[in-house]
Structure formats: C-alpha cells, structure tokens
Amino acid sequence: MKELQNIIKAFKQYKQSGQRTALATVVKTSGSVYRKPGARMLLADDGYTIGAISGGCLESNVFERSQPLMFYSGEPLVVKYDTTSSEDIVWGFGLGCNGVVSVLIESLADASASNQLEFISECFLQNQSGAIATVFDVRGDTQVKVASRLFLKQDGAVATDIQDREFAQKVLQDAQQVLKNGRSLVKAYSLANGCVEVLLEVIQPPLPLLVFGTGHDAIPVVDCAKQLGWHVTVIDNRPGYTTRDRFPNADDIIFCDPENLETHFSFNSRMVAVVMTHKYLQDLELLRILLLSPLQYIGLLGPKTRRERLLQDLQASGFISTPDQLQRLYGPVGLDIGANTPEEIALSIVAEIQAVVADRGGSSLRERTRPIHSQHDELPPSTLIKHID
C-alpha cells in the first residue's frame, strides 16, 4: 500500500516537472517468486526508481529495457524472466528462486499507462475499491492490444480502451466478479482469432485503523501503521492529548466521547480498531459499541483478566456477546513476540492486524508447508477460462 502511494506521489511530481517516466508491473508469475502480480516499479529518466518487482535482482535489467520507451517512445513490452533452470545462475540473474516472472514495461507518456495510476489514486482518495483489467499477452489476429485496460469502480463506473467490444464485455463481467470476491486473478481468454491473457487486479483503499486512546503508547501504533500506508484515525476525549502536535502522522484526529462516535463516522467491515484508552469505564462503553459494529478486528489493550471483567460487566448490564463478536475481539492485543517497550508493543499490534486482515496465523514462515504466495485468500495460479465466440 505504502509503495503504491509513493509511486503515485512521485509520478505526479515527475509529471509536473516534465521528466520522462515508465512503469513496470508484474503481470504473471509461477513457481517461487518474490512479488505477486500487481507489484509495480516507477522508473524515471534520471535513474531514480520507486517500488520493486523483485528482491532487487530484476530491477536493473528492467530499467535498461525501459530506456527506449522513455526516450524514443515505443510499444509496451512484456519481458519474461525464467529462473526455473539451474543454468540461470550462469547465464541469467542468479536468482535461485525457481520461478517465472512476466513484467509489463510501458511509458507513462501513454494515456493507458498513466490512467491506471490516476485510477488507483482516485480509489485511495474516494475510499472505494476498484478493479483494473490489464491485457499483457496477445496471440493471433485480434483487435486487442497489449496494455489495453478496463477500469471498474465499486460504484459501477466503467472506463476502457479495449477496442473489441464483445471481449471488453467479457472482461467486465470477470472484473465485476473479481471485485466482488476481492481476489485478483490472471485469466486467459480464447477468442475467435486468437488468445489473450489478462491480469484482473483488485485495488483496495488504505486499511482504515481506528486508535482509541492518546497515551504515549498510542503514538508508535499510529506511526507504525502509517509506515504501511494505512489510514489512521485517532479518537479520544482528552483535549490536551487529542492534538495534531502529538499525532502529526495521523490522517484524522477526532475529539469526542464514545457515545458520540456515530456522529463522526460510520463503521464498516474493512475497518480495524485498537482500544487503548487506559480507562476502564471508557473501554467498557467502547466495547459495547464496537462489538455491535461490523469491524473485522477489535484489539483490546490489557491482560486477559481485564478483558474477562469487561465482558462480564457488559453481560451484567444486559449485553450478551455472540461468538462472532468474540471472534473479532483480540485481547490481549498483539502477537506474542516478547514485546516490552511501546515501540515493540506497537509492532506486535500492527503485525497482528496485518495477519488477521490477510487471514494468516502470524507464525514463522519456516513452519509454513505451502508456498508463501499460495493460499485461498491470495492470488492463485493462472486460471484458464475459455470464452468461445
């Protein structure tokens, strides 16, 4: 998320200054690879790059291949890096990853290329999801061109430069399904006179984090979350603490009591929250409100005994927590990493939120028996879908 935000910011600056830029996008992978499809890297004519498409092994070659596009114009190109052969260590890049990565490189002087960054920026600013369908492989006699795209917003708005209308309609239907499921896909379409491969990519706005509390331990939580590009809102009712000077990195700062929360914003299922007010009665009221909300994660600072007492007091007042509500409650908040200082505790909290949102267990990768980028909630291997005209 932060990487994309940095790319968009830099592109706007380069565009204002008139400098030439190109964009490299991972569009297809197989085997063991460092980045998934959708990873991007901005390349500028001054030699500066932002983002990464690998662990540092492919970037220099991609930059070299981008030069003709930046300085002499030219059609977008797709470069395939195959490291599955042992000979790669001798003739190739020495990745030793046993994977295949296809990278689309295109000049950002081209409207279709720059439009994707504008689209992503709009999704971020408008806080809505979207889908981008990018054609990256065309075989046979067809009107469809490499790097042509279809854009779909959550509100249903559609824009495309795909010339084949029937094919564009099929892509739109798949983009709608991808957006609904929240999972990106690579799909191959068989047309009457050829075959086309498309990356159907889901664009999610920054994760909204609500931090309830303005103590000294809340500051590193805000800072750590912002390092990941999340949208962070700080909420408290202490005027001396709920200030911009105290939380310069927060996106929003709201001064209010728990009972007035709904007058400031509406909760949704993408939001996550951490309750760390250090005030028992305030936490009690916040839990009552948050457990009734659709938030996917509710972190509660403090030991298990405090959590149980809060839940017992809620029950005594007539509030009976459901299994689903308790499933979304994480208290004590954070992963067990031996955290002690405020910064370490912030790391454990943010790491747990990331694991929950990604539907991962938060265990060591060495214990994982499946590939790192292979799980039901992540980008699956390329799927062949044939559409017969």
Side-chain angles (χ1 to χ4, degrees):
M1 185 62 65
K2 184 69 172 180
E3 183 179 62
L4 260 179
Q5 293 170 343
N6 290 338
I7 287 174
I8 292 170
K9 181 180 178 181
F11 169 63
K12 291 179 179 178
Q13 293 173 344
Y14 279 122
K15 189 176 180 180
Q16 270 190 333
S17 64
Q19 285 186 259
R20 301 179 182 89
T21 53
L23 190 70
T25 306
V26 175
V27 289
K28 185 179 180 180
T29 65
S30 64
S32 178
V33 295
Y34 188 79
R35 299 298 302 270
K36 297 187 297 180
R40 291 174 171 84
M41 179 173 68
L42 179 71
L43 311 109
D45 60 7
D46 59 4
Y48 196 60
T49 63
I50 298 175
I53 55 167
S54 74
C57 310
L58 305 179
E59 280 73 6
S60 59
N61 183 264
V62 169
F63 184 81
E64 289 179 12
R65 291 176 178 269
S66 72
Q67 298 303 291
L69 278 69
M70 281 194 283
F71 289 96
Y72 309 110
S73 72
E75 296 296 320
L77 69 149
V78 176
V79 184
K80 184 176 180 180
Y81 298 95
D82 188 347
T83 64
T84 56
S85 170
S86 59
E87 295 178 356
D88 171 67
I89 295 178
V90 178
W91 61 261
F93 301 93
L95 304 184
C97 295
N98 288 324
V100 181
V101 183
S102 294
V103 181
L104 170 64
I105 308 172
E106 50 194 327
S107 168
L108 284 170
D110 182 77
S112 180
S114 60
N115 284 345
Q116 66 177 302
L117 295 183
E118 297 291 346
F119 177 83
I120 295 171
S121 179
E122 289 176 6
C123 287
F124 288 175
L125 291 174
Q126 297 170 6
N127 194 33
Q128 68 169 308
S129 302
I132 302 177
T134 303
V135 175
F136 65 87
D137 188 28
V138 177
R139 301 176 189 178
D141 183 17
T142 173
Q143 301 178 56
V144 183
K145 296 182 179 180
V146 170
S148 55
R149 290 182 170 86
L150 181 142
F151 302 97
L152 171 66
K153 284 190 176 180
Q154 194 173 24
D155 60 12
V158 181
T160 183
D161 60 1
I162 298 176
Q163 296 179 2
D164 186 324
R165 291 187 178 182
E166 291 186 10
F167 173 64
Q169 186 60 36
K170 295 168 185 173
V171 172
L172 173 58
Q173 292 173 356
D174 288 332
Q176 291 169 335
Q177 191 62 40
V178 161
L179 186 56
K180 179 181 178 180
N181 296 337
R183 298 175 57 200
S184 299
L185 292 172
V186 172
K187 291 189 176 181
Y189 298 81
S190 291
L191 305 181
N193 299 313
C195 181
V196 177
E197 278 195 282
V198 179
L199 168 62
L200 293 151
E201 178 188 8
V202 177
I203 303 298
Q204 296 283 13
L207 182 70
L209 167 63
L210 309 177
V211 177
F212 293 94
T214 52
H216 69 283
D217 53 354
I219 297 174
V221 172
V222 172
D223 294 343
C224 187
K226 286 306 299 177
Q227 283 295 315
L228 300 182
W230 297 358
H231 186 282
V232 184
T233 302
V234 177
I235 308 105
D236 207 337
N237 60 0
R238 293 187 289 175
Y241 291 80
T242 316
T243 65
R244 177 59 62 185
D245 288 341
R246 188 170 178 81
F247 294 95
N249 293 323
D251 295 283
D252 295 308
I253 300 175
I254 298 176
F255 174 75
C256 75
D257 296 316
E259 56 268 23
N260 296 324
L261 281 176
E262 294 183 359
T263 64
H264 292 273
F265 53 83
S266 300
F267 296 115
N268 63 63
S269 59
R270 286 199 70 245
M271 288 180 172
V272 297
V274 178
V275 178
M276 48 195 318
T277 71
H278 298 282
K279 293 183 178 181
Y280 186 85
L281 293 179
Q282 190 159 313
D283 285 2
L284 187 67
E285 185 59 29
L286 284 171
L287 270 188
R288 186 192 309 275
I289 296 169
L290 298 179
L291 286 173
L292 288 172
S293 76
L295 268 64
Q296 61 176 318
Y297 173 99
I298 304 166
L300 178 64
L301 192 69
K304 288 184 179 179
T305 54
R306 187 175 187 273
R307 178 199 65 195
E308 293 306 313
R309 181 185 170 193
L310 284 165
L311 292 174
Q312 289 171 5
D313 286 348
L314 283 177
Q315 184 174 353
S317 69
F319 184 96
I320 308 298
S321 304
T322 67
D324 175 69
Q325 291 170 343
L326 294 178
Q327 184 68 26
R328 294 182 288 115
L329 178 61
Y330 291 78
V333 66
L335 295 180
D336 183 9
I337 60 172
N340 184 40
T341 68
E343 290 76 17
E344 292 168 350
I345 293 171
L347 175 62
S348 75
I349 292 173
V350 172
E352 181 179 62
I353 295 173
Q354 172 61 33
V356 170
V357 171
D359 194 19
R360 290 294 186 93
S363 58
S364 296
L365 286 175
R366 73 173 184 175
E367 308 298 332
R368 187 172 174 81
T369 58
R370 306 172 74 179
I372 296 174
H373 295 319
S374 176
Q375 193 179 18
H376 66 277
D377 57 296
E378 296 183 336
L379 191 90
S382 301
T383 303
L384 178 64
I385 293 188
K386 292 186 178 180
H387 294 280
I388 307 299
D389 291 338

